[in-house]
Structures are given as structure tokens and as C-alpha cells.
């Protein structure tokens, strides 16, 4: 017999009204989860930005930045579905704690191998190979962490405020995405890569403490009463649900192609160094600009959810993301480039809230982890494989032409999806 499901907090039955902008934050576990994600994001991005700047400084090769994204994406994509399976069948809290612990171990290895005395004594190929290997291990750990953490929200807050919870979760992530890169720029300038990695490790200790306050929750029972199959049947079930639910498939496909080709984050060190001449502090500001735009916009979304006309709003903001990317490629002025990145974050945040609500509302409880892991594969393909695409395109086409190409392709993707998905304008999420 399966263990009984741990009931949600006592006040879930009396869910706060939908217009309450702080509805989800009234649940203590949700606050711990969101603040933990906030600190986790600061730690990961501070480490990523500083490491990227260090690698480009050492090699002056944009393809090195692309391989950094590829090294993380391949293991994440390979094991994300398995992570979703374990999130649906196991203890999400335990999975999260183990994954964070593994990431801390990887950060400690990066700290050791990049110490100046050791780094300077290692052949360049050995150093890069070791760094890529650790990044690959971090991607593997994130493949288990992401579906467990993302699917937990639905078991903490009531369904009536899923949209509000998605907005606050996005706020936590975006807040970390603002502070992380800014911290990376100034920490790197003052203390080098070593100091940045030490701060990242300290933040991850705090993340472990926050996640340890969450309650353990056994797997949700199947709502159809069927028996669970083996792991391969489990994975096929999650994939089939995504491909048979058009609003999920099209929403995550929009994100995949817009960020895969329109994203510029991976090659920001090139813009900061060679085009805008802004240095590491400027890189930190440029990297934080999308998150600032996203956080301000998502705070508005907590009060005015964009889910009333969800599909129309999603297409509009993805098109806006493509236009802002074209503006960034055209700009040669630091403040205008930062503004363009701010707008990419503002548009993308609305997409995140809408897609996050879809992923909480549409799947049944026993499938949510696997559905979110499929979304994680698309997301990783857009971000990490997008980083590789950005580095490769910058090397082959040139930095600015590659961004112009990506922004134009994003707009073409929106036009194609609009023509294929007109029936989704009738779907109501709220």
C-alpha cells in the first residue's frame, strides 16, 4: 500500500482570494522553497559568469564559451527525464538536498583546479577538460534537482493560486539572476575567480538549510487508478502527455526556439570586452539587465496575472523578445544595449509565468514531475545548447550578425506557431 499523501498546510482549504498579490507567500514552505531557489540562483549564476569571463580572458575564443554551455546541456538533457521519473516516484526533498550537495562538491573541485598555483601549472587542454567535466557533473545534478523543485509547488499551495505561485517563483529566480551576475562582476574584479567560488559555496550551504525545513512528501497516487509500469513506460508516459497536449507542446517549443537562436547571454563576455569595452563590471550589469527587467515585470504579474488571454499574451511577448534582441545586436552604446537586454527579460518573464501556470494546471499530480522534466529538456536545450549555438554562430558569422540572425529567426518562429495554434486562443487558465 502506498503511503498516504502528506496533507497541505491547514489553511489550504481556506485559500486566499485570487486578487491577493501575496497569496502564495502566506505559506511558510513556499517561502522557504522560493528563497532557497533565490539563493541557489545567485550561487550558480555568480559561478557561471565569473567562470565564463575567466575562460574567455584566458583563451579569447568564443567557441570555448559555447562548449561550456554544451558541457552542461548534454548530461542534463540525457538524464532530465530520469530526474522527472524519480521526482514523481520518490521523495522530492531528499532529491533536492542530494543534488545541491553534489553541486557543492563540483564547485569545490572548480575552486581547487582554478587556484592560480595549480591552474598555471596545468596544460591548457587538461585545465579545460577538467572544467568541462565538472560542468557536465553539475548539469547531471541539475537534471535531478529541477523537476523535483519545480513540481513541489503544486503540493505546497492550492490550485487556485498556482498563477500567483508561478509569479513569485519566477520573482525568486529573477531576483537571483539580477544579484548573481552583478556579484560575479564585482567579486571577480575584487577577489578573482577564487573569491567568487567561495561565496557561491557559502550560499549553497544556506540553500541546504532552507530546503531542510521542507516536509517530506511521498509520491502522489495515480488519478486513473492504473498501476505504475517500469521506468521506460514511465518516461514514455510523460513524453506522450506533453506531445498530446498542444498548449504545453507549443508553449515550450516557443521558448526553445526563441532562446536557442535569440539568446545572447553566452556571448556577453565578447560584447562587454570587444564591442562595448565595459570590463567585468560592465559584464555583470549586462548579465543582470534581463533579470532586472524580468523581476520588475513579474512583480506586476503577481497583481495582474497574464493568464486571462494566455495564448495571445504568450505570442506577443515572445515576438517582443525577438525585437529586443535585434535592438541589442544593432546597439553600440552601453546604456542602449543594457536597455535592450532589460526588455528581453521583461518579455521573457511574462512567458515564464504563463508557461509555469500551464505546467502546474494541465498535468495530473502523478505526471507533473515528468512533464516538468520534459520542459526542463526544452529549457536546457534553449539555454545551454543555445550557448553553444551562440558561440559557434559568433565564430562562423561574426558576433553581431549571429545575434541579428537569431532575433529574426525568433520572429519567424512566432509567426509559424501562430498559424498552427489558433485554437489555443480559446484556452482559459484563469
Amino acid at each position: 500500500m502506498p503511503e498516504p499523501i502528506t496533507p497541505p498546510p491547514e489553511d489550504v482549504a481556506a485559500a486566499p482570494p485570487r486578487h491577493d498579490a501575496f497569496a502564495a507567500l502566506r505559506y511558510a514552505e513556499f517561502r522557504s522553497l522560493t528563497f532557497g531557489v533565490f539563493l541557489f540562483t545567485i550561487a550558480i549564476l555568480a559561478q557561471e559568469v565569473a567562470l565564463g569571463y575567466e575562460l574567455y580572458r584566458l583563451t579569447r575564443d568564443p567557441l570555448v564559451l559555447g562548449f561550456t554551455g554544451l558541457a552542461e546541456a548534454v548530461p542534463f538533457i540525457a538524464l532530465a527525464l530520469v530526474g522527472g521519473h524519480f521526482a514523481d516516484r520518490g521523495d522530492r526533498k531528499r532529491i533536492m538536498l542530494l543534488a545541491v550537495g553534489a553541486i557543492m562538491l563540483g564547485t569545490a573541485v572548480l575552486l581547487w583546479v582554478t587556484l592560480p598555483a595549480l591552474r598555471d601549472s596545468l596544460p591548457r587542454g587538461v585545465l579545460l577538460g577538467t572544467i568541462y567535466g565538472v560542468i557536465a557533473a553539475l548539469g547531471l545534478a541539475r537534471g535531478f534537482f529541477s523537476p523535483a523543485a519545480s513540481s513541489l509547488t503544486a503540493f505546497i499551495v492550492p490550485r487556485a493560486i498556482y498563477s500567483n505561485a508561478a509569479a513569485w517563483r519566477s520573482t525568486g529566480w529573477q531576483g537571483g539572476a539580477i544579484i548573481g551576475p552583478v556579484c560575479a562582476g564585482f567579486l571577480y574584479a575584487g577577489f578573482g575567480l577564487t573569491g567568487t567560488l567561495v561565496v557561491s559555496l557559502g550560499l549553497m550551504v544556506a540553500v541546504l538549510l532552507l530546503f531542510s525545513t521542507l516536509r517530506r512528501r511521498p509520491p502522489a497516487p495515480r488519478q486513473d487508478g492504473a498501476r505504475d509500469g517500469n521506468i521506460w513506460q514511465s518516461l514514455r508516459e510523460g513524453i506522450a502527455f506533453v506531445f498530446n497536449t498542444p498548449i504545453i507542446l507549443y508553449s515550450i517549443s516557443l521558448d526553445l526556439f526563441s532562446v536557442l537562436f535569440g539568446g545572447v547571454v553566452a556571448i556577453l563576455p565578447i560584447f562587454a570586452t570587444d564591442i562595448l569595452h565595459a570590463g567585468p563590471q560592465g559584464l555583470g550589469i549586462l548579465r543582470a539587465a534581463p533579470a532586472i527587467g524580468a523581476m520588475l515585470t513579474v512583480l506586476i504579474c503577481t497583481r495582474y496575472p497574464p493568464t486571462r488571454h494566455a495564448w495571445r499574451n504568450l505570442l506577443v511577448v515572445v515576438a517582443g523578445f525577438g525585437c529586443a534582441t535585434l535592438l541589442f545586436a544593432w546597439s553600440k552604446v552601453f546604456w542602449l544595449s543594457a536597455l535592450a537586454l532589460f526588455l528581453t527579460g521583461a518579455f521573457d518573464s511574462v512567458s515564464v509565468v504563463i508557461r509555469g501556470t500551464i505546467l502546474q494546471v494541465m498535468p495530473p499530480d502523478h505526471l507533473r514531475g515528468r512533464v516538468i522534466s520534459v520542459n526542463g529538456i526544452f529549457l536546457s536545450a534553449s539555454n545551454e545548447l543555445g550557448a553553444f549555438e551562440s558561440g559557434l554562430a559568433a565564430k562562423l558569422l561574426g558576433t553581431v550578425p549571429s545575434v541579428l540572425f537569431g532575433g529574426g529567426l525568433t520572429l519567424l518562429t512566432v509567426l509559424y506557431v501562430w498559424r498552427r495554434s489558433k485554437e489555443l486562443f480559446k484556452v482559459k487558465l484563469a
Side-chain angles (χ1 to χ4, degrees):
M1 293 291 289
E3 296 182 55
I5 299 297
T6 303
E10 292 76 4
D11 53 348
V12 164
R18 288 173 182 258
H19 65 268
D20 182 1
F22 301 96
L25 293 180
R26 301 189 189 283
Y27 299 93
E29 283 189 291
F30 182 78
R31 292 195 299 270
S32 295
L33 178 63
T34 302
F35 191 53
V37 169
F38 167 71
L39 295 180
F40 180 79
T41 305
I42 293 175
I44 290 295
L45 289 184
Q47 174 177 302
E48 179 182 313
V49 170
L51 189 60
Y53 191 85
E54 177 83 355
L55 289 176
Y56 185 68
R57 187 186 67 82
L58 291 174
T59 66
R60 310 296 291 186
D61 185 353
L63 198 55
V64 168
L65 301 176
F67 279 124
T68 301
L70 188 65
E72 185 172 12
V74 170
F76 181 93
I77 291 173
L79 288 176
L81 277 175
V82 177
H85 167 81
F86 281 103
D88 283 335
R89 302 285 182 87
D91 180 359
R92 292 173 176 85
K93 172 184 174 179
R94 185 168 180 267
I95 292 170
M96 291 162 60
L97 292 176
L98 288 174
V100 174
I103 292 171
M104 290 178 65
L105 179 60
T107 301
V109 174
L110 284 176
L111 175 61
W112 173 67
V113 79
T114 57
L115 288 172
L118 181 59
R119 181 195 64 202
D120 296 340
S121 65
L122 289 175
R124 181 65 54 84
V126 173
L127 176 64
L128 291 177
T130 303
I131 291 174
Y132 290 147
V134 173
I135 291 173
L138 298 182
L140 188 153
R142 284 184 53 221
F144 287 91
F145 174 84
S146 294
S150 298
S151 62
L152 190 58
T153 300
F155 298 90
I156 293 176
V157 302
R159 184 185 181 91
I161 59 172
Y162 280 176
S163 177
N164 182 264
W168 280 113
R169 277 290 305 274
S170 181
T171 299
W173 186 89
Q174 298 294 355
I178 293 169
I179 296 173
V182 172
C183 285
F186 287 94
L187 284 170
Y188 184 94
F191 304 101
L193 181 61
T194 299
T196 307
L197 294 178
V198 169
V199 171
S200 292
L201 275 173
L203 290 173
M204 289 180 196
V205 171
V207 171
L208 281 177
L209 293 175
L210 282 166
F211 289 163
S212 68
T213 66
L214 301 174
R215 285 187 290 173
R216 298 182 63 182
R217 285 176 168 81
R222 295 180 63 100
Q223 297 173 2
D224 56 9
R227 297 184 63 181
D228 291 324
N230 60 37
I231 186 170
W232 302 114
Q233 292 171 326
S234 170
L235 301 185
R236 285 197 299 270
E237 187 179 15
I239 295 171
F241 185 88
V242 169
F243 280 85
N244 291 327
T245 309
I247 194 169
I248 294 180
L249 179 61
Y250 281 129
S251 65
I252 62 180
S253 297
L254 270 175
D255 180 78
L256 168 64
F257 288 104
S258 62
V259 179
L260 177 63
F261 294 107
V264 298
V265 169
I267 55 176
L268 283 181
I270 305 174
F271 277 91
T273 302
D274 299 337
I275 297 175
L276 300 172
H277 308 290
Q281 295 93 334
L283 173 61
I285 293 171
L286 290 175
R287 186 66 188 270
I292 295 172
M295 187 171 184
L296 292 177
T297 304
V298 85
L299 286 173
I300 296 173
C301 291
T302 64
R303 184 65 181 86
Y304 303 102
T307 50
R308 185 174 181 183
H309 300 287
W311 196 244
R312 179 202 68 186
N313 294 341
L314 187 61
L315 291 173
V316 168
V317 296
V318 176
F321 177 90
C323 291
T325 300
L326 292 175
L327 175 62
F328 177 79
W330 174 79
S331 171
K332 298 295 184 293
V333 179
F334 180 80
W335 70 264
L336 185 59
S337 298
L339 174 62
L341 291 173
F342 174 94
L343 292 175
T344 64
F347 288 123
D348 187 56
S349 68
V350 180
S351 170
V352 169
V353 171
I354 295 172
R355 194 171 63 254
T357 304
I358 291 170
L359 291 171
Q360 297 296 331
V361 169
M362 293 296 178
D365 288 345
H366 72 277
L367 268 176
R368 189 172 287 109
R370 279 162 286 172
V371 171
I372 287 176
S373 71
V374 175
N375 174 68
I377 290 175
F378 278 68
L379 189 64
S380 180
S382 64
N383 289 328
E384 280 75 29
L385 289 183
F388 175 71
E389 182 275 336
S390 295
L392 181 62
K395 191 172 184 68
L396 297 178
L397 303 177
T399 303
V400 172
S402 71
V403 178
L404 289 170
F405 170 78
L409 201 57
T410 297
L411 296 178
L412 290 176
T413 300
V414 173
L415 179 61
Y416 174 79
V417 171
W418 171 74
R419 290 173 60 88
R420 299 272 300 181
S421 63
K422 293 182 180 179
E423 72 281 359
L424 297 181
F425 285 92
K426 301 175 184 178
V427 175
K428 295 183 179 179
L429 297 179

